[in-house]
Amino acid sequence: MLNYTILPIFALISVHLSHQNWHKCTFLPDVYVPCEVCHGKRYNRETLEVTCKDKNIAEVLRDITGKKKAEETLLETNRYLEETTYRAKNMAAQAEMANRAKSEFLANMSHEIRTPLNGVIGFSDILMETEPTESQSHYMKIVYTSANTLLDMVNDVLDFSKIEAGRLELDPEITELTELLYQIKDVVKYKAHEKELELKLNIVSDIPQHIIVDNLRLRQILINLLSNAIKFTEKGEIELKIETFTIPDNTHEIGLTFSVKDTGIGIAEENIGKIFDSFSQEEGSINRRSGGTGLGLTISNRLLEMMGSKLELESEVGKGSTFYFTIVLPVKKEEKSILIDIPENS
C-alpha cells in the first residue's frame, strides 16, 4: 500500500492531468480528489487538511477543487450561451419570415386594389369627355381626382412592400435626359399652378443627351420630391436643379446632382431624421390637411440606395427646404461626348 503521508506532489498532479479515477470526496461535497488519496482518509471541511497532516496534499486538493469548479462554471456558461444563441437565431428567422409574409400580402392586396381603381379612373375620364351638365362635370372631377389620389397611395404601399420583400429590381435603359426632365415638369406643373407657385427647371451646365438609368424610378423619385415641395409650399417657387460633374479618368460615366428647392414651411432640425421614417410626416396637422401615406421619401431613399446614392436635406423653418442627391450613371457609349445646352430656368 502507498504511504499517503509522503505521496509526492508531482504524483497527484500527474493523476489530475490524466483525468482518470476522480470522484467527489465522500467527506467533502463538491471537492474532486484522486481515489487513492481520498479512500480511507478524512479531511477537515474548513482547512481541507488531511488527517495525516500532509500540507502538500491539502494544497493540491484545494487547487484541484477550484479548477474543477471553474471548469463546471465555464461549461455551464457555454451551454447557456449556445442555447441563447440558438433561440435568438430561431426568433430572428421567424421574424424575417413574418415580415416577408406581411410584405408579400401587402403587395398582393395593393395590386388587387389597383386594378379596379384604374377602371374607375378610366371611365371617369371618358365621362368627362362627354357633355355632362356643370354639376355632373364637377362631381366627375371629384371622383377622378379622388381615385387618382387613392391610386397614388396604393402605388406607394405596393412599391414599399416590394422593396421590403426584396422583389423590386431596377431596369436600366437608354434614356434621353432632357426629355425625361420636361416630362417630369409637365406632370407636376398643374398642381403648382393651382397654388400659383412658380415652377422652375434649372440646368446650370451641359448635360449628356443620353444616360443609362431606370427612368421610371428616377422619374418617380423626382416627382415625389416635387409633389412634396408643392404640397408644403403656400407661396413662392419650386426649383428642380440639375448639375453635372466629371469622373476622373472615366469617360463612360457622368455624375449628376439633382436638387428640389422650395420656399415652403421648412423642417425643424430635430425632425429632419423623422421624415425619412416609413409612414411619417413632420407634423400631424399638416399630414391631415395635405394627405398622403408618408411613404414617398422613404421609397425615394430606398430607390436611391439601390442606385448607390442617398437622399440628403437642408432646411430652415419658415424659409424652405432643399432635397438633393448625387448619382453616377453610364452614358450611351457612342454618344458619350455629346453634350447639349439647355437654357437655365426653362
Side-chain angles (χ1 to χ4, degrees):
M1 179 177 290
L2 293 173
N3 185 348
Y4 299 107
T5 61
I6 60 173
L7 185 65
I9 189 168
F10 67 85
L12 287 174
I13 296 173
S14 176
V15 173
H16 169 60
L17 293 177
S18 69
H19 297 284
Q20 295 178 355
N21 302 322
W22 287 80
H23 67 92
K24 287 188 177 182
C25 179
T26 305
F27 308 107
L28 290 173
D30 300 326
V31 173
Y32 287 79
V33 294
C35 294
E36 307 89 66
V37 176
C38 183
H39 182 68
K41 298 293 180 181
R42 293 182 180 276
Y43 300 91
N44 185 299
R45 284 179 179 272
E46 296 181 359
T47 63
L48 294 180
E49 289 185 352
V50 187
T51 303
C52 64
K53 305 296 183 181
D54 190 322
K55 300 293 184 180
N56 290 334
I57 294 177
E59 288 302 320
V60 170
L61 292 176
R62 189 190 304 276
D63 180 61
I64 290 173
T65 299
K67 288 182 178 179
K68 196 67 178 179
K69 286 183 176 180
E71 288 177 1
E72 286 183 339
T73 302
L74 181 60
L75 288 173
E76 184 64 28
T77 302
N78 286 339
R79 280 194 295 269
Y80 174 76
L81 290 175
E82 288 175 359
E83 292 174 0
T84 303
T85 301
Y86 174 78
R87 286 196 298 269
K89 288 182 177 179
N90 190 38
M91 291 173 65
Q94 291 179 357
E96 179 66 21
M97 289 175 62
N99 188 55
R100 286 187 175 274
K102 176 207 71 175
S103 297
E104 289 180 6
F105 170 78
L106 286 174
N108 292 333
M109 286 301 298
S110 298
H111 178 74
E112 294 301 322
I113 294 171
R114 187 170 61 171
T115 301
L117 268 177
N118 284 325
V120 173
I121 293 170
F123 281 102
S124 298
D125 191 32
I126 292 172
L127 283 172
M128 286 189 294
E129 291 178 0
T130 61
E131 297 180 358
T133 64
E134 185 176 346
S135 60
Q136 288 174 334
S137 179
H138 174 69
Y139 296 148
M140 289 310 304
K141 285 181 181 178
I142 293 175
V143 172
Y144 182 80
T145 302
S146 299
N148 272 291
T149 300
L150 184 55
L151 182 61
D152 289 341
M153 294 182 184
V154 171
N155 285 336
D156 281 348
V157 174
L158 179 61
D159 285 340
F160 183 73
S161 301
K162 284 183 177 179
I163 292 172
E164 288 288 291
R167 292 169 51 187
L168 192 146
E169 297 181 358
L170 298 179
D171 184 21
E173 58 183 352
I174 297 174
T175 302
E176 188 172 343
L177 183 55
T178 53
E179 181 181 351
L180 176 64
L181 295 174
Y182 279 108
Q183 287 175 355
I184 291 169
K185 182 182 178 182
D186 288 340
V187 169
V188 299
K189 70 179 180 181
Y190 298 106
K191 291 182 180 179
H193 291 165
E194 282 179 358
K195 299 182 72 172
E196 298 182 350
L197 299 173
E198 184 180 0
L199 182 61
K200 296 180 178 180
L201 176 58
N202 187 353
I203 304 174
V204 297
S205 61
D206 295 340
I207 62 172
Q209 185 175 6
H210 293 93
I211 57 174
I212 300 175
V213 67
D214 187 328
N215 63 72
L216 179 64
R217 297 306 175 183
L218 180 58
R219 172 192 174 100
Q220 180 180 1
I221 293 167
L222 292 174
I223 289 177
N224 270 339
L225 296 180
L226 288 167
S227 297
N228 270 352
I230 294 170
K231 183 188 298 184
F232 298 112
T233 302
E234 296 303 322
K235 60 181 180 179
E237 63 182 32
I238 311 294
E239 180 186 60
L240 171 58
K241 185 177 181 180
I242 302 92
E243 298 175 279
T244 63
F245 61 91
T246 57
I247 310 298
D249 302 322
N250 188 343
T251 59
H252 299 288
E253 293 181 317
I254 191 167
L256 295 170
T257 299
F258 297 84
S259 63
V260 174
K261 182 179 180 181
D262 64 59
T263 56
I265 58 176
I267 300 169
E269 185 176 354
E270 62 270 18
N271 292 328
I272 287 178
K274 297 178 184 177
I275 66 170
F276 292 106
D277 294 337
S278 306
F279 306 100
S280 176
Q281 290 181 344
E282 187 196 11
E283 188 178 329
S285 60
I286 297 173
N287 187 7
R288 288 190 295 271
R289 184 171 70 250
S290 303
T293 59
L295 284 174
L297 291 178
T298 301
I299 292 171
S300 297
N301 210 21
R302 294 285 189 90
L303 291 173
L304 285 171
E305 287 176 2
M306 295 173 68
M307 296 179 182
S309 182
K310 66 177 181 178
L311 196 57
E312 299 187 72
L313 167 64
E314 294 176 358
S315 185
E316 187 175 349
V317 175
K319 292 189 176 181
S321 305
T322 301
F323 288 88
Y324 63 96
F325 61 91
T326 297
I327 53 177
V328 176
L329 297 172
V331 295
K332 190 176 178 181
K333 291 183 179 180
E334 60 268 26
E335 297 182 0
K336 59 180 178 292
S337 61
I338 297 178
L339 298 174
I340 60 176
D341 291 326
I342 300 228
E344 296 185 10
N345 300 322
S346 299

